[in-house]
Amino acid sequence: KMASSLESMAATMQGDRLMAGASLIGKKVASPNGTAELVDGANITGVLSLENGANNIMLDVYDQNGSKVFTQSLGRQAPGDVTVRWEGFNSNGQRMPAGRYNVVATVDAFGEISQVPVSTPAIVRSVSVVNNELMLELQDGSAVSLSKVQRIDN
């Protein structure tokens, strides 16, 4: 009887999580996967968090085929959140077509080189619970755990 009560309580909690997650459908979230949709005439912005600052950040943008289309050195950065922006042009100054792009930041933190996740905006398409974790399916087809989302906008 106790096991059945626990199972019932777990099912109720999962249902509550799904209901709370449903309110996120259609909202814009900052997803740490670096993938973003470039719309004609627009740009892509993202945020990366630096715990200790950096000597330099190299920002690279890749197209859907994995080809690097843009790179930029952002120089020395203080600790905290750094907003990055890609205007939608390749390294030759040509406007890139609308579509999905991946933004990658390589950080030189005073001799320690690492890739730091860039949180980019994405629209939530659906929600599900996987292994007791609320997962958001994004408009670009990727999925991210709600616990990894840094920001939610209307």
Side-chain angles (χ1 to χ4, degrees), residues 64-95:
Q64 292 177 354
N65 301 318
S67 299
K68 188 187 296 186
V69 297
F70 179 79
T71 190
Q72 178 183 13
S73 173
L74 302 176
R76 182 180 292 269
Q77 301 291 326
D81 288 346
V82 177
T83 300
V84 296
R85 177 190 307 261
W86 176 51
E87 299 293 337
F89 294 90
N90 67 16
S91 294
N92 297 324
Q94 299 167 316
R95 184 67 148 142

Side-chain angles (χ1 to χ4, degrees), residues 8-23:
S8 174
M9 187 169 82
T12 299
M13 288 174 64
Q14 182 169 324
D16 289 347
R17 267 199 301 262
L18 273 175
M19 288 302 291
S23 68

Side-chain angles (χ1 to χ4, degrees), residues 19-96:
M19 288 302 291
S23 68
L24 297 174
I25 294 173
K27 302 244 189 229
K28 188 183 292 186
V29 297
S31 168
N33 65 10
T35 302
E37 195 74 23
L38 179 67
V39 178
D40 280 331
N43 59 47
I44 291 175
T45 59
V47 175
L48 60 118
S49 295
L50 299 177
E51 191 173 313
N52 299 312
N55 256 357
N56 189 35
I57 298 173
M58 291 302 294
L59 186 69
D60 296 310
V61 179
Y62 296 86
D63 66 14
Q64 292 177 354
N65 301 318
S67 299
K68 188 187 296 186
V69 297
F70 179 79
T71 190
Q72 178 183 13
S73 173
L74 302 176
R76 182 180 292 269
Q77 301 291 326
D81 288 346
V82 177
T83 300
V84 296
R85 177 190 307 261
W86 176 51
E87 299 293 337
F89 294 90
N90 67 16
S91 294
N92 297 324
Q94 299 167 316
R95 184 67 148 142
M96 296 302 296

Side-chain angles (χ1 to χ4, degrees), residues 24 26-32 119-124 136 138 144 146 149-154:
L24 297 174
K27 302 244 189 229
K28 188 183 292 186
V29 297
S31 168
S119 293
T120 52
I123 305 291
V124 177
L136 309 179
L138 306 177
V144 64
L146 178 60
V149 169
Q150 296 177 324
R151 181 181 172 137
I152 301 169
D153 294 320
N154 283 330

